[in-house]
Amino acid sequence: SGGGVDTSGTPADNQVAVFTDSDTIEGDSNFIWNSSLGILGVAGTLSVNLGTDERIIFGTGTTTNLGALSSILGGCNQTIATLVTGSTIAGGRGNKLTKNCSFIGGGSNNTGSTAFSAIVGGGSNSISGSVAENFSFIGGGSGNQIGAGCATIAGGTLNCNFGLYATVGGGAGNVNNCQGATIAGGYYNEVNGIYSTIGGGYFNTASADYVTISGGSRNTGSAPYAVIAGGFENHITASNAVGCNFIGSGNSNELFNAGASAIVAGVQNKIESVGNNAASCNFIGGGSGNIISGSSILTFSSIVGGFQNSISGSTKSRNFIGGGTNNSIRNTSCAGILGGSNNKVSHSDSFAIGSNITSTAINTTFVNNLTVSGSGTTVVVFKNLPTSDPTNAGQLWNDSGTLKVSAG
């Protein structure tokens, strides 16, 4: 009475006094203030009921919370901007939120400028964009930037993600520009096609839609639905809308204006169409300097391996070179070279076995030498031989049942 205040219990040093009625205060060991350390201590549960324009601020320096129902729970020089509702900075230094329902866990100099977005930690990371570009996430790292909605950067450094629903897993200096695309890691990889993927490696570029580059370095996919598994400086490109091509590995292999074609490995192998039509359904297994090239429709041809073998021409298909070196099939269809060197086939349905052979007729197999061996039951049949001298040196003919060789 008379303006006095009664005490209750046995107050101790540093306990904060709390009124228990209109003129009685009581100390509580669960609620202390240490002035020498600048620490407010609460044991148990701290419950804060905020009004519609109230906020929580814990921090030092120029920490400022101008938002409603927003919280700064610690750190230094933190900022929640005016007109922001329901956002939280948990700790760190120099972090800033400017939109509703956003979150920064810690780290330094991180900035969140879209709603319903989160930066867990790291340094100098930022999420920005228009009103519709919300719901994005940065896990950590440094210098990462998101400029699209529903986008993710898990970590790494200096990565950029400007694709809606797109992801950058980590790495350094990666740039994802397109919707639904993914860069898992690596460094300085770039995606410019929707729903394309780069798994890792460095300086790889996916610049068409639905491209996959698993890894390697300096590989380029600029035709839709292309796949490059790895290797170095391999390229799948197109000047028209052809796709579904594959390079497995190797160095400096190229598919240009090709469709549903594949180079498995090797060095400087190439499948290309130099006209308006695609070189479709062609195959090079490996080797070096092999080429399938046509000025018009060139389809269903294969070079298994070897060195500097070629299949070329226009409106031709279904040719085959097994291996060897400097073999060529040109301007024909359904021709084959088993191997050897310096063979040239330019007649349809003809085949070369050996070396230094040049075809001279259709539906013919050309060989350097032929040996037939077997048991006593082996039968060699020559059907439809000429019955008069064909005057073609070396050609067999049937002289009334006697096998003869024309002298020409």
Side-chain angles (χ1 to χ4, degrees), residues 234-254:
N234 296 305
H235 306 291
I236 300 177
T237 60
S239 60
N240 48 33
V242 293
C244 303
N245 297 294
F246 172 85
I247 294 177
S249 187
N251 177 17
S252 301
N253 297 303
E254 182 178 0

Side-chain angles (χ1 to χ4, degrees), residues 97-171:
L97 292 173
T98 63
K99 295 296 181 181
N100 298 337
C101 303
S102 52
F103 172 84
I104 294 177
S108 63
N109 300 312
N110 297 304
T111 303
S113 301
T114 64
F116 304 101
S117 295
I119 300 173
V120 177
S124 301
N125 298 305
S126 67
I127 299 176
S128 61
S130 66
V131 175
E133 293 172 335
N134 302 320
F135 306 103
S136 291
F137 173 86
I138 294 177
S142 63
N144 297 306
Q145 180 182 358
I146 288 179
C150 302
T152 299
I153 297 177
T157 182
L158 300 175
N159 297 304
C160 297
N161 191 350
F162 304 116
L164 182 68
Y165 312 118
T167 300
V168 176

